[in-house]
Amino acid sequence: MSAVLLPVAMSAATAQAESDQGKKACVAEARRLCPIEMKSMSRKKVEGCMIQKIDQTSAVCHAAMLRIKAEREAAATRR
């Protein structure tokens, strides 16, 4: 049983590390690309701005924003 749990735990840890790396990359880019939204302290506004400017983001942030965009779209279809 532990042989099965180890890959799952490693996969979760890898996903968390990628997510954290994406967040760090996006914070710096959001300060540059969406300063007004950053000052508003509204996560939804910052994410919306970053999604609009996704083509101007780094590869790491771009991947993170695509995940956020997909999550938003999935949530909207569930409503």
Side-chain angles (χ1 to χ4, degrees):
M1 184 139 156
S2 64
V4 173
L5 294 178
L6 185 59
V8 171
M10 290 173 58
S11 173
T14 301
Q16 181 66 35
E18 289 174 1
S19 176
D20 289 346
Q21 192 176 32
K23 286 179 185 177
K24 288 179 184 175
C26 287
V27 168
E29 294 179 40
R31 286 187 185 120
R32 178 176 54 86
L33 296 171
C34 304
I36 293 169
E37 291 79 0
M38 286 293 286
K39 288 180 183 177
S40 75
M41 301 297 287
S42 169
R43 181 178 180 164
K44 288 192 181 279
K45 287 181 181 180
V46 174
E47 289 175 353
C49 176
M50 291 296 286
I51 289 169
Q52 287 181 340
K53 297 181 179 188
I54 197 166
D55 292 336
Q56 299 175 48
T57 61
S58 67
V60 174
C61 182
H62 189 97
M65 294 315 304
L66 287 176
R67 282 192 303 273
I68 290 168
K69 183 178 178 186
E71 290 169 4
R72 282 183 167 203
E73 290 170 354
T77 58
R78 286 190 295 247
R79 292 181 190 167

